[in-house]
Amino acid sequence: MARRSRHRLLLLLLRYLVVALGYHKAYGVSAPKDHKVVTAIEYQEVILACKYPKRTIAFRLEWKKLGQSVSFVYYQQALQGDFKDRAELIDFSIRIKNVTRRDAGKYRCEISAPSEQGQNLEEDTVTLEVLVAPAVPSCEVPNSALSGTVVELRCQDREGNPAPEYTWFKDGIRLSGNPKLGSQSTNSSYTINTKSGTLKFNTVSKLDSGEYSCEARNSVGYRRCPGKRMQVDDLNISGIIAAVVAVVLVISLCGFGVCYAQRKGYFSKETSFQKSGSTSKSTTMSENDFKHTKSFII
């Protein structure tokens, strides 16, 4: 009995699978094909391929660009948008004559055609990666620096794809990634980060004075920024000492002047009070004398 029940259960499962496959084929819900990735260099041409076994009379073809919002590339037997002027349809594939970085993304072609079981739908997905050469990188080089200090030079490009690597040049000569193997005209205290584009001097010296430029390079191309000069000077100890001595002398002279003025009584409150008191007394006496004289005459 147990064997018979298992046999019946297997038959039911097989029937369910057959019905499900028939429904799947009749209504065109077919499994997608393998995902493909196509790379192209910017401003060159690329073909987005959509493979289909045979061309039928009553087929319908659509190309869509996927993303946050789906947009039509080929719809109702016509290319859409800016693809009208720079693309063409070859069988089921699309040839873009002048690809740009804005074209990068995921595309899907959909082909529906009648079949014996009903309407059949085929889908093919392609991801387009656009390779972009670097632009002229922006370089940050200080005009001057003091020897013995930490100095960092920066170089960056925002357009290259894939992300570029950076190389620094001093007076037109490439700086080695290993400072100890570099030329004798540069000290060995610097480090170069080829990924971030920084050139860092832990203790810069006068030997590091010169014109610096940076190059950004990837698999598509390379660009270099104009050279900028960095002047490294020693710290002027004698000048600092002379300035300190001058400040001390000025302060000493000011203090001596204040002491001299106090000794002479220029800042004495008592003297000024006495002067004002004597003035008021003389004024009062003159008024009394005037009254006395007037009464005497009368």
Side-chain angles (χ1 to χ4, degrees):
M1 294 292 293
R3 290 182 179 179
R4 289 181 180 178
S5 60
R6 290 178 182 176
H7 185 67
R8 289 177 181 176
L9 181 60
L10 289 174
L11 288 176
L12 288 173
L13 288 173
L14 288 174
R15 288 178 182 177
Y16 175 78
L17 289 174
V18 169
V19 171
L21 289 174
Y23 177 88
H24 174 81
K25 195 169 184 181
Y27 287 87
V29 187
S30 59
K33 297 181 180 179
D34 294 336
H35 186 76
K36 297 186 293 293
V37 178
V38 178
T39 59
I41 298 175
E42 190 176 30
Y43 306 125
Q44 296 187 8
E45 70 174 40
V46 66
I47 295 178
L48 304 180
C50 181
K51 297 181 180 179
Y52 190 69
K54 59 181 179 178
R55 198 181 187 97
T56 59
I57 298 176
F59 79 94
R60 181 176 61 85
L61 172 65
E62 290 181 1
W63 271 95
K64 300 175 183 178
K65 185 177 181 181
L66 310 179
Q68 294 182 352
S69 61
V70 179
S71 59
F72 282 102
V73 177
Y74 184 85
Y75 180 68
Q76 292 184 347
Q77 300 182 356
L79 290 164
Q80 305 295 316
D82 64 342
F83 289 99
K84 293 179 181 179
D85 302 324
R86 57 189 185 92
E88 62 178 348
L89 190 70
I90 303 175
D91 290 334
F92 300 105
S93 304
I94 290 181
R95 173 175 172 259
I96 304 175
K97 302 175 184 178
N98 187 18
V99 67
T100 66
R101 64 193 71 183
R102 293 180 300 175
D103 297 330
K106 185 180 291 186
Y107 294 80
R108 184 176 68 206
C109 74
E110 301 174 358
I111 302 174
S112 61
S115 63
E116 296 178 355
Q117 292 79 15
Q119 195 74 10
N120 187 29
L121 176 66
E122 294 285 344
E123 294 181 357
D124 208 357
T125 306
V126 181
T127 296
L128 174 61
E129 292 185 357
V130 181
L131 307 180
V132 182
V136 176
S138 61
C139 299
E140 298 180 10
V141 180
N143 296 324
S144 60
L146 291 175
S147 60
T149 59
V150 178
V151 178
E152 186 174 87
L153 284 65
R154 298 182 181 90
C155 178
Q156 190 176 23
D157 165 71
R158 298 181 181 276
E159 296 188 15
N161 183 39
E165 293 191 351
Y166 301 93
T167 306
W168 279 95
F169 296 82
K170 178 192 174 187
D171 297 328
I173 301 174
R174 180 179 180 271
L175 292 178
S176 173
N178 186 356
K180 296 181 180 180
L181 301 179
S183 62
Q184 297 180 354
S185 62
T186 306
N187 74 62
S188 59
S189 69
Y190 71 84
T191 55
I192 297 178
N193 190 326
T194 58
K195 301 297 183 183
S196 64
T198 57
L199 168 60
K200 184 176 181 180
F201 292 94
N202 296 319
T203 52
V204 71
S205 70
K206 293 188 71 175
L207 290 174
D208 299 319
S209 297
E211 186 178 84
Y212 288 85
S213 60
C214 170
E215 181 182 276
R217 179 186 293 267
N218 63 7
S219 59
V220 185
Y222 63 92
R223 298 293 295 273
R224 186 186 298 189
C225 68
K228 298 180 180 179
R229 181 167 182 79
M230 181 179 70
Q231 181 64 39
V232 182
D233 296 316
D234 290 330
L235 193 63
N236 192 354
I237 302 297
S238 60
I240 294 175
I241 294 173
V244 171
V245 171
V247 171
V248 171
L249 287 174
V250 170
I251 294 174
S252 300
L253 289 173
C254 291
F256 177 77
V258 171
C259 292
Y260 179 79
Q262 286 181 347
R263 287 181 181 179
K264 291 295 183 179
Y266 294 119
F267 300 111
S268 175
K269 293 183 179 180
E270 184 179 354
T271 304
S272 60
F273 177 76
Q274 289 176 354
K275 289 182 179 179
S276 61
S278 61
T279 305
S280 62
K281 284 181 180 180
S282 60
T283 305
T284 305
M285 289 178 63
S286 61
E287 290 178 353
N288 293 332
D289 292 342
F290 176 76
K291 290 180 181 178
H292 179 73
T293 304
K294 187 174 180 181
S295 62
F296 179 78
I297 294 172
I298 294 172

